[in-house]
mmCIF file of all heavy atoms in Angstrom:
data_model
loop_
_atom_site.group_PDB
_atom_site.id
_atom_site.type_symbol
_atom_site.label_atom_id
_atom_site.label_comp_id
_atom_site.label_asym_id
_atom_site.label_seq_id
_atom_site.Cartn_x
_atom_site.Cartn_y
_atom_site.Cartn_z
ATOM 1 N N ALA G 1 107.350 183.692 153.929
ATOM 2 C CA ALA G 1 106.733 182.438 154.086
ATOM 3 C C ALA G 1 107.314 181.651 155.171
ATOM 4 O O ALA G 1 108.456 181.714 155.485
ATOM 5 C CB ALA G 1 106.929 181.647 152.729
ATOM 6 N N VAL G 2 106.472 180.885 155.891
ATOM 7 C CA VAL G 2 106.861 179.845 156.864
ATOM 8 C C VAL G 2 106.581 178.498 156.314
ATOM 9 O O VAL G 2 105.466 178.220 155.936
ATOM 10 C CB VAL G 2 106.144 180.046 158.247
ATOM 11 C CG1 VAL G 2 106.515 179.009 159.228
ATOM 12 C CG2 VAL G 2 106.351 181.431 158.693
ATOM 13 N N LEU G 3 107.639 177.663 156.212
ATOM 14 C CA LEU G 3 107.464 176.341 155.692
ATOM 15 C C LEU G 3 107.551 175.294 156.838
ATOM 16 O O LEU G 3 108.490 175.291 157.661
ATOM 17 C CB LEU G 3 108.685 176.023 154.734
ATOM 18 C CG LEU G 3 108.898 177.068 153.599
ATOM 19 C CD1 LEU G 3 110.053 176.587 152.655
ATOM 20 C CD2 LEU G 3 107.649 177.333 152.770
ATOM 21 N N GLU G 4 106.493 174.520 156.890
ATOM 22 C CA GLU G 4 106.360 173.455 157.925
ATOM 23 C C GLU G 4 106.171 172.110 157.290
ATOM 24 O O GLU G 4 105.249 171.924 156.484
ATOM 25 C CB GLU G 4 105.217 173.781 158.901
ATOM 26 C CG GLU G 4 104.785 172.650 159.773
ATOM 27 C CD GLU G 4 105.951 172.192 160.649
ATOM 28 O OE1 GLU G 4 106.695 172.999 161.258
ATOM 29 O OE2 GLU G 4 106.093 170.877 160.774
ATOM 30 N N LYS G 5 107.091 171.087 157.640
ATOM 31 C CA LYS G 5 106.926 169.825 156.980
ATOM 32 C C LYS G 5 105.749 169.075 157.408
ATOM 33 O O LYS G 5 105.233 168.153 156.642
ATOM 34 C CB LYS G 5 108.201 169.050 157.164
ATOM 35 C CG LYS G 5 108.454 168.517 158.641
ATOM 36 C CD LYS G 5 109.695 167.683 158.707
ATOM 37 C CE LYS G 5 109.850 167.109 160.130
ATOM 38 N NZ LYS G 5 111.018 166.226 160.247
ATOM 39 N N GLY G 6 105.201 169.344 158.617
ATOM 40 C CA GLY G 6 104.037 168.587 159.015
ATOM 41 C C GLY G 6 102.869 169.579 159.103
ATOM 42 O O GLY G 6 102.659 170.355 158.191
ATOM 43 N N TRP G 7 102.073 169.526 160.160
ATOM 44 C CA TRP G 7 101.041 170.505 160.369
ATOM 45 C C TRP G 7 101.583 171.554 161.404
ATOM 46 O O TRP G 7 102.424 171.349 162.133
ATOM 47 C CB TRP G 7 99.792 169.853 160.824
ATOM 48 C CG TRP G 7 99.819 169.215 162.171
ATOM 49 C CD1 TRP G 7 99.585 169.759 163.365
ATOM 50 C CD2 TRP G 7 100.166 167.857 162.448
ATOM 51 N NE1 TRP G 7 99.654 168.886 164.383
ATOM 52 C CE2 TRP G 7 100.115 167.718 163.898
ATOM 53 C CE3 TRP G 7 100.566 166.812 161.702
ATOM 54 C CZ2 TRP G 7 100.388 166.539 164.460
ATOM 55 C CZ3 TRP G 7 100.945 165.571 162.276
ATOM 56 C CH2 TRP G 7 100.813 165.423 163.640
ATOM 57 N N LEU G 8 100.894 172.620 161.423
ATOM 58 C CA LEU G 8 101.335 173.819 162.239
ATOM 59 C C LEU G 8 101.344 173.410 163.687
ATOM 60 O O LEU G 8 100.323 172.977 164.161
ATOM 61 C CB LEU G 8 100.373 174.957 161.967
ATOM 62 C CG LEU G 8 100.794 176.331 162.515
ATOM 63 C CD1 LEU G 8 100.281 177.382 161.586
ATOM 64 C CD2 LEU G 8 100.209 176.473 163.888
ATOM 65 N N GLY G 9 102.467 173.660 164.302
ATOM 66 C CA GLY G 9 102.565 173.301 165.775
ATOM 67 C C GLY G 9 102.742 171.869 166.040
ATOM 68 O O GLY G 9 102.477 171.422 167.193
ATOM 69 N N SER G 10 103.132 171.054 165.120
ATOM 70 C CA SER G 10 103.197 169.629 165.298
ATOM 71 C C SER G 10 104.583 169.159 166.007
ATOM 72 O O SER G 10 104.690 168.068 166.309
ATOM 73 C CB SER G 10 103.056 168.833 164.028
ATOM 74 O OG SER G 10 104.120 169.234 163.052
ATOM 75 N N GLY G 11 105.512 170.023 166.140
ATOM 76 C CA GLY G 11 106.737 169.781 166.727
ATOM 77 C C GLY G 11 106.787 170.031 168.222
ATOM 78 O O GLY G 11 105.806 169.810 168.928
ATOM 79 N N ASN G 12 107.901 170.626 168.732
ATOM 80 C CA ASN G 12 108.016 170.808 170.165
ATOM 81 C C ASN G 12 107.105 171.822 170.795
ATOM 82 O O ASN G 12 106.740 171.681 171.943
ATOM 83 C CB ASN G 12 109.460 171.222 170.479
ATOM 84 C CG ASN G 12 110.565 170.210 170.203
ATOM 85 O OD1 ASN G 12 110.170 169.022 169.938
ATOM 86 N ND2 ASN G 12 111.751 170.575 170.197
ATOM 87 N N ILE G 13 106.611 172.734 170.051
ATOM 88 C CA ILE G 13 105.673 173.690 170.553
ATOM 89 C C ILE G 13 104.384 173.002 171.091
ATOM 90 O O ILE G 13 103.703 173.492 171.973
ATOM 91 C CB ILE G 13 105.267 174.824 169.515
ATOM 92 C CG1 ILE G 13 104.488 175.930 170.179
ATOM 93 C CG2 ILE G 13 104.471 174.198 168.378
ATOM 94 C CD1 ILE G 13 105.172 176.825 171.190
ATOM 95 N N GLY G 14 103.997 171.855 170.478
ATOM 96 C CA GLY G 14 102.777 171.156 170.956
ATOM 97 C C GLY G 14 103.217 169.983 171.819
ATOM 98 O O GLY G 14 102.287 169.165 172.255
ATOM 99 N N ARG G 15 104.463 169.860 172.340
ATOM 100 C CA ARG G 15 104.855 168.734 173.101
ATOM 101 C C ARG G 15 105.591 169.099 174.419
ATOM 102 O O ARG G 15 106.141 168.220 174.990
ATOM 103 C CB ARG G 15 105.850 167.936 172.168
ATOM 104 C CG ARG G 15 105.276 167.319 170.913
ATOM 105 C CD ARG G 15 106.241 166.734 169.940
ATOM 106 N NE ARG G 15 105.575 166.230 168.842
ATOM 107 C CZ ARG G 15 105.157 164.917 168.664
ATOM 108 N NH1 ARG G 15 105.476 164.168 169.602
ATOM 109 N NH2 ARG G 15 104.585 164.524 167.574
ATOM 110 N N ASN G 16 105.547 170.292 174.804
ATOM 111 C CA ASN G 16 106.399 170.685 175.957
ATOM 112 C C ASN G 16 105.396 170.703 177.188
ATOM 113 O O ASN G 16 104.251 170.426 177.148
ATOM 114 C CB ASN G 16 107.011 172.002 175.780
ATOM 115 C CG ASN G 16 106.031 173.122 175.541
ATOM 116 O OD1 ASN G 16 105.401 173.645 176.396
ATOM 117 N ND2 ASN G 16 105.812 173.529 174.271
ATOM 118 N N THR G 17 105.954 171.172 178.314
ATOM 119 C CA THR G 17 105.251 171.137 179.608
ATOM 120 C C THR G 17 104.769 172.520 180.009
ATOM 121 O O THR G 17 104.539 172.791 181.267
ATOM 122 C CB THR G 17 106.127 170.493 180.722
ATOM 123 O OG1 THR G 17 107.480 170.946 180.660
ATOM 124 C CG2 THR G 17 106.121 168.958 180.567
ATOM 125 N N THR G 18 104.774 173.482 179.107
ATOM 126 C CA THR G 18 103.986 174.761 179.147
ATOM 127 C C THR G 18 104.595 175.762 180.175
ATOM 128 O O THR G 18 103.932 176.799 180.420
ATOM 129 C CB THR G 18 102.490 174.454 179.525
ATOM 130 O OG1 THR G 18 102.416 174.121 180.964
ATOM 131 C CG2 THR G 18 101.931 173.368 178.748
ATOM 132 N N ILE G 19 105.733 175.519 180.699
ATOM 133 C CA ILE G 19 106.224 176.461 181.827
ATOM 134 C C ILE G 19 106.984 177.664 181.193
ATOM 135 O O ILE G 19 107.671 177.569 180.161
ATOM 136 C CB ILE G 19 107.277 175.638 182.667
ATOM 137 C CG1 ILE G 19 106.618 174.523 183.304
ATOM 138 C CG2 ILE G 19 107.897 176.599 183.707
ATOM 139 C CD1 ILE G 19 107.511 173.493 184.027
ATOM 140 N N ILE G 20 106.744 178.867 181.778
ATOM 141 C CA ILE G 20 107.435 180.058 181.392
ATOM 142 C C ILE G 20 108.066 180.611 182.748
ATOM 143 O O ILE G 20 107.506 180.571 183.718
ATOM 144 C CB ILE G 20 106.503 181.126 180.747
ATOM 145 C CG1 ILE G 20 105.347 181.554 181.765
ATOM 146 C CG2 ILE G 20 105.974 180.603 179.518
ATOM 147 C CD1 ILE G 20 104.610 182.698 181.252
ATOM 148 N N ARG G 21 109.290 181.157 182.612
ATOM 149 C CA ARG G 21 109.978 181.698 183.705
ATOM 150 C C ARG G 21 111.172 182.598 183.116
ATOM 151 O O ARG G 21 111.572 182.450 182.011
ATOM 152 C CB ARG G 21 110.491 180.633 184.663
ATOM 153 C CG ARG G 21 111.424 179.585 183.945
ATOM 154 C CD ARG G 21 111.949 178.566 184.890
ATOM 155 N NE ARG G 21 112.652 177.458 184.245
ATOM 156 C CZ ARG G 21 113.899 177.535 184.027
ATOM 157 N NH1 ARG G 21 114.659 178.519 184.427
ATOM 158 N NH2 ARG G 21 114.553 176.585 183.431
ATOM 159 N N SER G 22 111.728 183.364 184.027
ATOM 160 C CA SER G 22 112.962 184.113 183.687
ATOM 161 C C SER G 22 113.953 184.114 184.777
ATOM 162 O O SER G 22 114.649 185.080 185.092
ATOM 163 C CB SER G 22 112.566 185.632 183.231
ATOM 164 O OG SER G 22 111.948 186.237 184.282
ATOM 165 N N ASN G 23 114.073 182.993 185.597
ATOM 166 C CA ASN G 23 114.938 182.975 186.720
ATOM 167 C C ASN G 23 116.254 182.411 186.336
ATOM 168 O O ASN G 23 116.794 181.417 186.865
ATOM 169 C CB ASN G 23 114.267 182.088 187.845
ATOM 170 C CG ASN G 23 113.873 180.720 187.314
ATOM 171 O OD1 ASN G 23 113.944 180.428 186.089
ATOM 172 N ND2 ASN G 23 113.490 179.812 188.210
ATOM 173 N N TYR G 24 116.950 183.139 185.488
ATOM 174 C CA TYR G 24 118.347 182.826 185.099
ATOM 175 C C TYR G 24 119.315 183.715 185.826
ATOM 176 O O TYR G 24 119.005 184.807 186.206
ATOM 177 C CB TYR G 24 118.418 182.990 183.589
ATOM 178 C CG TYR G 24 117.829 181.874 182.782
ATOM 179 C CD1 TYR G 24 116.482 181.782 182.606
ATOM 180 C CD2 TYR G 24 118.597 180.747 182.250
ATOM 181 C CE1 TYR G 24 115.873 180.720 181.934
ATOM 182 C CE2 TYR G 24 117.974 179.755 181.633
ATOM 183 C CZ TYR G 24 116.626 179.687 181.422
ATOM 184 O OH TYR G 24 116.000 178.696 180.764
ATOM 185 N N MET G 25 120.592 183.351 185.814
ATOM 186 C CA MET G 25 121.637 184.014 186.588
ATOM 187 C C MET G 25 122.575 184.762 185.633
ATOM 188 O O MET G 25 123.020 185.895 186.015
ATOM 189 C CB MET G 25 122.287 183.095 187.509
ATOM 190 C CG MET G 25 123.370 183.734 188.427
ATOM 191 S SD MET G 25 124.064 182.622 189.622
ATOM 192 C CE MET G 25 125.113 181.658 188.536
ATOM 193 N N LEU G 26 123.116 184.207 184.594
ATOM 194 C CA LEU G 26 124.165 184.703 183.871
ATOM 195 C C LEU G 26 123.766 185.897 183.073
ATOM 196 O O LEU G 26 122.591 185.986 182.502
ATOM 197 C CB LEU G 26 124.758 183.658 183.013
ATOM 198 C CG LEU G 26 125.425 182.432 183.767
ATOM 199 C CD1 LEU G 26 126.053 181.460 182.743
ATOM 200 C CD2 LEU G 26 126.504 182.942 184.658
ATOM 201 N N PRO G 27 124.645 186.857 182.813
ATOM 202 C CA PRO G 27 124.374 188.135 182.108
ATOM 203 C C PRO G 27 123.809 187.870 180.638
ATOM 204 O O PRO G 27 122.979 188.505 180.145
ATOM 205 C CB PRO G 27 125.723 188.837 182.024
ATOM 206 C CG PRO G 27 126.433 188.328 183.222
ATOM 207 C CD PRO G 27 126.034 186.886 183.330
ATOM 208 N N GLY G 28 124.339 186.803 179.964
ATOM 209 C CA GLY G 28 123.817 186.541 178.609
ATOM 210 C C GLY G 28 122.389 186.062 178.559
ATOM 211 O O GLY G 28 121.727 186.280 177.559
ATOM 212 N N ASN G 29 122.009 185.381 179.681
ATOM 213 C CA ASN G 29 120.657 184.746 179.723
ATOM 214 C C ASN G 29 119.574 185.681 180.249
ATOM 215 O O ASN G 29 118.486 185.800 179.874
ATOM 216 C CB ASN G 29 120.686 183.485 180.401
ATOM 217 C CG ASN G 29 121.257 182.277 179.598
ATOM 218 O OD1 ASN G 29 121.089 182.297 178.428
ATOM 219 N ND2 ASN G 29 121.851 181.389 180.247
ATOM 220 N N ASN G 30 119.908 186.313 181.424
ATOM 221 C CA ASN G 30 118.930 186.974 182.258
ATOM 222 C C ASN G 30 118.128 187.947 181.495
ATOM 223 O O ASN G 30 116.906 188.010 181.549
ATOM 224 C CB ASN G 30 119.651 187.555 183.501
ATOM 225 C CG ASN G 30 118.626 187.803 184.617
ATOM 226 O OD1 ASN G 30 117.652 188.530 184.356
ATOM 227 N ND2 ASN G 30 118.813 187.283 185.802
ATOM 228 N N PRO G 31 118.816 188.998 180.858
ATOM 229 C CA PRO G 31 118.002 190.024 180.164
ATOM 230 C C PRO G 31 117.137 189.456 179.089
ATOM 231 O O PRO G 31 116.005 189.929 178.816
ATOM 232 C CB PRO G 31 119.091 190.935 179.595
ATOM 233 C CG PRO G 31 120.321 190.730 180.445
ATOM 234 C CD PRO G 31 120.219 189.245 180.818
ATOM 235 N N PHE G 32 117.603 188.445 178.301
ATOM 236 C CA PHE G 32 116.916 187.878 177.203
ATOM 237 C C PHE G 32 115.615 187.211 177.758
ATOM 238 O O PHE G 32 114.566 187.474 177.218
ATOM 239 C CB PHE G 32 117.775 186.802 176.481
ATOM 240 C CG PHE G 32 117.003 186.062 175.470
ATOM 241 C CD1 PHE G 32 116.983 186.594 174.174
ATOM 242 C CD2 PHE G 32 116.459 184.823 175.720
ATOM 243 C CE1 PHE G 32 116.291 185.961 173.238
ATOM 244 C CE2 PHE G 32 115.780 184.182 174.765
ATOM 245 C CZ PHE G 32 115.759 184.739 173.445
ATOM 246 N N TYR G 33 115.727 186.355 178.751
ATOM 247 C CA TYR G 33 114.482 185.630 179.225
ATOM 248 C C TYR G 33 113.589 186.617 179.945
ATOM 249 O O TYR G 33 112.373 186.367 179.986
ATOM 250 C CB TYR G 33 114.990 184.443 180.130
ATOM 251 C CG TYR G 33 115.418 183.310 179.280
ATOM 252 C CD1 TYR G 33 116.751 183.070 179.112
ATOM 253 C CD2 TYR G 33 114.516 182.358 178.789
ATOM 254 C CE1 TYR G 33 117.198 181.965 178.372
ATOM 255 C CE2 TYR G 33 114.935 181.307 178.039
ATOM 256 C CZ TYR G 33 116.357 181.096 177.818
ATOM 257 O OH TYR G 33 116.760 180.004 177.074
ATOM 258 N N GLU G 34 114.076 187.659 180.576
ATOM 259 C CA GLU G 34 113.260 188.657 181.221
ATOM 260 C C GLU G 34 112.428 189.410 180.142
ATOM 261 O O GLU G 34 111.242 189.682 180.300
ATOM 262 C CB GLU G 34 113.982 189.638 182.070
ATOM 263 C CG GLU G 34 113.207 190.695 182.717
ATOM 264 C CD GLU G 34 112.040 190.262 183.599
ATOM 265 O OE1 GLU G 34 112.008 189.084 183.923
ATOM 266 O OE2 GLU G 34 111.185 191.161 183.969
ATOM 267 N N TRP G 35 112.990 189.658 178.966
ATOM 268 C CA TRP G 35 112.375 190.322 177.883
ATOM 269 C C TRP G 35 111.225 189.387 177.417
ATOM 270 O O TRP G 35 110.116 189.803 177.036
ATOM 271 C CB TRP G 35 113.301 190.699 176.794
ATOM 272 C CG TRP G 35 112.638 191.231 175.530
ATOM 273 C CD1 TRP G 35 112.731 190.760 174.244
ATOM 274 C CD2 TRP G 35 111.813 192.410 175.494
ATOM 275 N NE1 TRP G 35 112.032 191.516 173.423
ATOM 276 C CE2 TRP G 35 111.448 192.513 174.092
ATOM 277 C CE3 TRP G 35 111.378 193.312 176.396
ATOM 278 C CZ2 TRP G 35 110.577 193.565 173.708
ATOM 279 C CZ3 TRP G 35 110.516 194.307 175.968
ATOM 280 C CH2 TRP G 35 110.157 194.507 174.596
ATOM 281 N N SER G 36 111.580 188.008 177.346
ATOM 282 C CA SER G 36 110.554 187.120 176.982
ATOM 283 C C SER G 36 109.388 187.148 177.911
ATOM 284 O O SER G 36 108.173 187.102 177.502
ATOM 285 C CB SER G 36 111.194 185.703 176.905
ATOM 286 O OG SER G 36 110.332 184.798 176.203
ATOM 287 N N MET G 37 109.642 187.235 179.259
ATOM 288 C CA MET G 37 108.592 187.242 180.191
ATOM 289 C C MET G 37 107.705 188.439 179.992
ATOM 290 O O MET G 37 106.474 188.429 180.142
ATOM 291 C CB MET G 37 109.163 187.232 181.634
ATOM 292 C CG MET G 37 108.139 187.242 182.686
ATOM 293 S SD MET G 37 107.082 185.827 182.703
ATOM 294 C CE MET G 37 108.203 184.527 183.220
ATOM 295 N N LYS G 38 108.329 189.593 179.729
ATOM 296 C CA LYS G 38 107.593 190.812 179.521
ATOM 297 C C LYS G 38 106.602 190.748 178.226
ATOM 298 O O LYS G 38 105.502 191.181 178.264
ATOM 299 C CB LYS G 38 108.533 192.010 179.380
ATOM 300 C CG LYS G 38 109.154 192.406 180.704
ATOM 301 C CD LYS G 38 110.155 193.556 180.522
ATOM 302 C CE LYS G 38 110.725 193.938 181.911
ATOM 303 N NZ LYS G 38 111.719 195.003 181.750
ATOM 304 N N LEU G 39 107.185 190.098 177.223
ATOM 305 C CA LEU G 39 106.399 189.876 176.044
ATOM 306 C C LEU G 39 105.247 188.851 176.403
ATOM 307 O O LEU G 39 104.078 189.024 175.777
ATOM 308 C CB LEU G 39 107.198 189.238 174.905
ATOM 309 C CG LEU G 39 108.189 190.231 174.279
ATOM 310 C CD1 LEU G 39 109.136 189.516 173.285
ATOM 311 C CD2 LEU G 39 107.467 191.442 173.527
ATOM 312 N N TRP G 40 105.496 187.867 177.203
ATOM 313 C CA TRP G 40 104.398 186.908 177.592
ATOM 314 C C TRP G 40 103.252 187.669 178.288
ATOM 315 O O TRP G 40 102.097 187.371 178.002
ATOM 316 C CB TRP G 40 104.984 185.831 178.536
ATOM 317 C CG TRP G 40 105.742 184.656 177.977
ATOM 318 C CD1 TRP G 40 106.974 184.315 178.235
ATOM 319 C CD2 TRP G 40 105.189 183.729 176.974
ATOM 320 N NE1 TRP G 40 107.327 183.212 177.462
ATOM 321 C CE2 TRP G 40 106.261 182.799 176.754
ATOM 322 C CE3 TRP G 40 103.996 183.508 176.328
ATOM 323 C CZ2 TRP G 40 106.139 181.781 175.889
ATOM 324 C CZ3 TRP G 40 103.830 182.485 175.460
ATOM 325 C CH2 TRP G 40 104.889 181.616 175.255
ATOM 326 N N GLU G 41 103.646 188.598 179.079
ATOM 327 C CA GLU G 41 102.619 189.285 179.950
ATOM 328 C C GLU G 41 101.602 190.108 179.095
ATOM 329 O O GLU G 41 100.491 190.313 179.560
ATOM 330 C CB GLU G 41 103.299 190.235 180.959
ATOM 331 C CG GLU G 41 104.036 189.411 181.947
ATOM 332 C CD GLU G 41 104.884 190.294 182.968
ATOM 333 O OE1 GLU G 41 105.457 191.289 182.494
ATOM 334 O OE2 GLU G 41 104.957 189.948 184.149
ATOM 335 N N ASN G 42 101.953 190.470 177.896
ATOM 336 C CA ASN G 42 101.061 191.201 177.012
ATOM 337 C C ASN G 42 100.691 190.510 175.813
ATOM 338 O O ASN G 42 100.135 191.087 174.854
ATOM 339 C CB ASN G 42 101.647 192.520 176.716
ATOM 340 C CG ASN G 42 100.674 193.543 176.158
ATOM 341 O OD1 ASN G 42 99.550 193.722 176.614
ATOM 342 N ND2 ASN G 42 101.028 194.155 175.045
ATOM 343 N N LEU G 43 101.096 189.231 175.682
ATOM 344 C CA LEU G 43 101.028 188.515 174.434
ATOM 345 C C LEU G 43 99.590 188.316 173.925
ATOM 346 O O LEU G 43 99.329 188.495 172.705
ATOM 347 C CB LEU G 43 101.697 187.129 174.514
ATOM 348 C CG LEU G 43 101.826 186.359 173.194
ATOM 349 C CD1 LEU G 43 102.651 187.056 172.146
ATOM 350 C CD2 LEU G 43 102.333 185.003 173.539
ATOM 351 N N GLU G 44 98.686 187.982 174.791
ATOM 352 C CA GLU G 44 97.265 187.724 174.331
ATOM 353 C C GLU G 44 96.599 188.956 173.743
ATOM 354 O O GLU G 44 95.935 188.857 172.749
ATOM 355 C CB GLU G 44 96.459 187.190 175.528
ATOM 356 C CG GLU G 44 96.972 185.813 175.970
ATOM 357 C CD GLU G 44 96.273 185.353 177.315
ATOM 358 O OE1 GLU G 44 96.364 186.132 178.264
ATOM 359 O OE2 GLU G 44 95.659 184.357 177.348
#
């Protein structure tokens, strides 16, 4: 179950500026955000 106190997507997911990128430098961040970019590329 997913519990949402408002309506679906009423928080930050519906309030941001829509940017996606993976231009990070540090080892802890770079592989993670690049994996996110690869998931974005096939998400639809």
Side-chain angles (χ1 to χ4, degrees):
V2 177
L3 308 184
E4 168 55 46
K5 70 175 182 179
W7 65 91
L8 191 148
S10 59
N12 291 350
I13 188 67
R15 296 168 178 268
N16 61 76
T17 46
T18 76
I19 300 168
I20 61 170
R21 57 183 175 87
S22 59
N23 54 351
Y24 285 78
M25 184 174 71
L26 296 182
N29 282 329
N30 197 307
F32 175 85
Y33 282 96
E34 176 59 13
W35 175 238
S36 192
M37 181 62 71
K38 290 177 179 177
L39 291 173
W40 281 121
E41 289 174 326
N42 193 48
L43 185 63
E44 293 171 306

